[in-house]
Amino acid sequence: MSELTIGEISKPRFEFRTFGQNFTEASYRMARLSVPVPEKLWCRESDEIYIISSTNDLNNTKIRDGKMDIKSYVQTVNGLEQWDPKLKAVFPLSKTRLIEEIFPAFMVDLPALTQDSYCLEGFLAVIENHPDLQAVNIHKQRYAYMVNDTICELANVLVNGARIVSINSESTQIEDIQKTISDLKLTGVENINYLQAIKRVIGMKNLPLAN
């Protein structure tokens, strides 16, 4: 059994994550079952911008701490999704990088790019003018735990100001996540990733969250 450390890069992890309005029982059990985690991880807050594409469900694309971050979907095994970190690029981004790496991840037609490089504001202006893309402001307040050697989290998430709650378990070991789902009494709850949750909240997909 491989051990994971919160915040460290590992081989692509499998993830269970869901979103809704209330996970009181699951979060209580998560806190009670967790081993101690470093104090710096007890509560973390961040402001991020997700780039949501009407044609893409395979690449998680977001901006955090002045970097473009892309994770790509690999596979689903026993209902758990595996995602692989593909790119972390610091702004400004070159026109070549936008053409070869960034816009292919959005899976949309390439817009006219008239500059050799794009700062964050210039890049967001391109996104705003694209008919298939939308920049969504996300604020996260995340509480970290470790249950059954899986990285767990309870998060209060604001999606353009709308509050939802997320709870998750991540690991390279599928069996450990399955045990955690059972221990948290989340068996049967829909696995919803960030892309899907945001699309549901902003009305790009007409589907409910888990509760």
Side-chain angles (χ1 to χ4, degrees), residues 106-190:
F106 299 148
M107 298 182 175
V108 296
D109 292 336
L110 184 68
L113 299 173
T114 58
Q115 301 173 203
D116 291 333
S117 67
Y118 287 79
C119 64
L120 176 58
E121 292 75 13
F123 174 74
L124 291 176
V126 173
I127 299 302
E128 183 178 358
N129 290 322
H130 198 290
D132 295 316
L133 297 175
Q134 183 172 340
V136 181
N137 292 301
I138 304 293
H139 180 79
K140 298 178 183 176
Q141 181 186 59
R142 299 181 292 158
Y143 299 90
Y145 302 96
M146 183 73 75
V147 180
N148 299 322
D149 292 318
T150 75
I151 294 172
C152 295
E153 181 180 274
L154 176 74
N156 296 312
V157 183
L158 299 180
V159 181
N160 282 345
R163 181 186 179 276
I164 55 176
V165 181
S166 175
I167 193 165
N168 84 297
S169 171
E170 300 180 16
S171 177
T172 57
Q173 306 299 312
I174 291 175
E175 296 79 7
D176 291 343
I177 301 176
Q178 290 174 324
K179 177 169 173 48
T180 301
I181 292 171
S182 177
D183 287 348
L184 300 182
K185 300 189 182 298
L186 291 172
T187 301
V189 175
E190 184 183 6

Side-chain angles (χ1 to χ4, degrees), residues 194-205:
Y194 261 99
L195 283 181
Q196 297 301 315
I198 294 171
K199 285 187 175 186
R200 296 179 192 194
V201 172
I202 67 175
M204 194 175 282
K205 285 200 171 181

Side-chain angles (χ1 to χ4, degrees), residues 4-43:
L4 296 174
T5 301
I6 300 170
E8 288 189 357
I9 297 174
S10 69
K11 67 181 183 179
R13 299 173 188 160
F14 289 94
E15 301 181 12
F16 169 82
R17 180 182 297 277
T18 195
F19 289 83
Q21 294 296 318
N22 191 325
F23 295 103
T24 300
E25 181 182 13
S27 62
Y28 172 78
R29 295 183 64 82
M30 178 182 285
R32 294 303 299 265
L33 292 168
S34 177
V35 300
V37 300
E39 185 173 350
K40 66 180 181 180
L41 302 175
W42 288 358
C43 180

